[in-house]
Amino acid sequence: MRFRYHQPIPNFYSIENPHHPKNTISDDFLNEFTDIAIASRFVGLSYSKLSDEFKMEWGIDWDNIIILKYPMSEEILKMDPSKEKCKLMDEEFQEVGAKAFALADILRENGFRADLINPLDDRVSLRAIALQSNDAVITRSNMCLFKEGLNLGFFMIQTSIENLPFKDENELKWVEDYCSTCGVCIDRCPENAFDENDKFLRKLCTAHREGCSVCINFCPFYKRGYDKVKKRYSRMKK
Ligand code: SF4
Ligand code: SF4
């Protein structure tokens, strides 16, 4: 399900894909590209290698995905759900989207195929692709958590680059166990979007329609950050 208040982003490419794209990137250029991404608005990059099974399941032919993660504005997240909040979230989405196109252009300029995945395309789940990175998990409140934070939006570029630093293991698997001991989001949710077994009920959640972010604001991963929650979890387990 998409954020219903987002408008399509205009096509901002200024460079065509190369006719014979390269499929190997040097460490130096990947570092430089990451620095440019971080300087422009993003907090970090993750990478998904899509398996044949995954591609078949979703009817896509993309292999290599660069995930560009950006922090959503804290001031906007603090606002109550409203049309104004949705408008501000969409403006932020549009602004960051333009920067994601610029990053795709940099890859094209340097000989790689790079296409931004339409974040409003209902045929494929960006969250499902994000989970393929082994760099994210879904929290109890149905948010996609990366180490850089809970308040992240993301754009994705599908590319010809085959040698991105894909991860084989997911270090965030412990989060599911931590969530089972927490439940703050369930207590704070104004819509009671959890069933009697504390399972998230998408139909009742108003995040996608009205911009609710109450559970983000109260979640320890947002308030304290990933590393502090992990330390706390490690102490709990001793
Ligand atoms: S508030 Fe607690 S249970 Fe809910 S997502 Fe955050 S850590 Fe998990
Ligand atoms: S309705 Fe709001 S608080 Fe409840 S789960 Fe959805 S986003 Fe979180």
Side-chain angles (χ1 to χ4, degrees):
M1 185 189 282
R2 298 290 178 260
F3 290 93
R4 296 298 170 207
Y5 44 82
H6 285 327
Q7 300 299 310
I9 302 172
N11 183 333
F12 286 110
Y13 294 120
S14 55
I15 295 171
E16 296 279 318
N17 266 318
H19 290 302
H20 302 290
K22 295 191 286 189
N23 58 15
T24 305
I25 193 167
S26 68
D27 289 347
D28 283 350
F29 184 60
L30 183 57
N31 288 339
E32 191 184 325
F33 179 75
T34 304
D35 289 345
I36 295 169
I38 288 172
S40 73
R41 182 63 165 80
F42 298 93
V43 284
L45 275 52
S46 295
Y47 312 95
S48 291
K49 181 85 177 170
L50 303 185
S51 66
D52 290 343
E53 293 77 24
F54 186 93
K55 290 190 281 184
M56 200 178 296
E57 183 186 344
W58 290 96
I60 53 178
D61 59 1
W62 310 324
D63 294 302
N64 314 302
I65 310 289
I66 298 175
I67 305 171
L68 305 162
K69 301 172 277 189
Y70 73 94
M72 296 186 282
S73 153
E74 294 193 5
E75 279 182 16
I76 300 174
L77 286 176
K78 272 190 225 145
M79 292 170 69
D80 291 333
S82 65
K83 280 193 178 150
E84 176 61 12
K85 180 177 184 182
C86 292
K87 182 170 163 282
L88 292 172
M89 286 172 111
D90 186 53
E91 283 173 7
E92 181 174 64
F93 173 78
Q94 301 290 328
E95 175 216 321
V96 183
K99 293 180 188 299
F101 271 105
L103 289 168
D105 267 346
I106 290 173
L107 292 176
R108 288 178 172 197
E109 196 176 18
N110 283 275
F112 304 104
R113 178 171 49 72
D115 292 308
L116 207 67
I117 297 174
N118 177 1
L120 303 183
D121 185 347
D122 267 334
R123 287 170 305 171
V124 66
S125 161
L126 294 198
R127 287 159 63 105
I129 295 177
L131 291 178
Q132 298 299 303
S133 69
N134 281 323
D135 222 6
V137 286
I138 301 297
T139 65
R140 200 173 201 178
S141 57
N142 201 39
M143 295 297 299
C144 196
L145 172 73
F146 290 88
K147 283 184 187 172
E148 292 94 338
L150 187 66
N151 59 325
L152 300 184
F154 40 82
F155 287 87
M156 295 186 181
I157 293 173
Q158 64 111 342
T159 175
S160 56
I161 306 170
E162 297 277 352
N163 67 327
L164 294 165
F166 304 110
K167 289 189 176 170
D168 295 329
E169 298 261 326
N170 191 327
E171 291 173 30
L172 289 83
K173 281 187 177 161
W174 62 274
V175 170
E176 185 181 351
D177 190 38
Y178 180 81
C179 278
S180 72
T181 69
C182 171
V184 167
C185 48
I186 299 169
D187 296 340
R188 295 287 184 167
C189 176
E191 306 294 337
N192 294 319
F194 296 85
D195 70 10
E196 62 279 8
N197 298 315
D198 297 339
K199 194 167 172 295
F200 175 74
L201 298 171
R202 184 187 293 272
K203 268 194 296 192
L204 297 186
C205 174
T206 55
H208 291 81
R209 298 189 300 275
E210 297 168 21
C212 180
S213 51
V214 169
C215 57
I216 295 181
N217 291 322
F218 283 103
C219 178
F221 286 107
Y222 180 61
K223 289 175 77 169
R224 301 196 188 92
Y226 177 89
D227 289 337
K228 282 191 179 156
V229 180
K230 181 150 194 221
K231 269 188 199 150
R232 186 170 175 210
Y233 176 75
S234 304
R235 283 199 301 271
M236 278 163 56
K237 288 289 156 185
K238 273 185 190 160

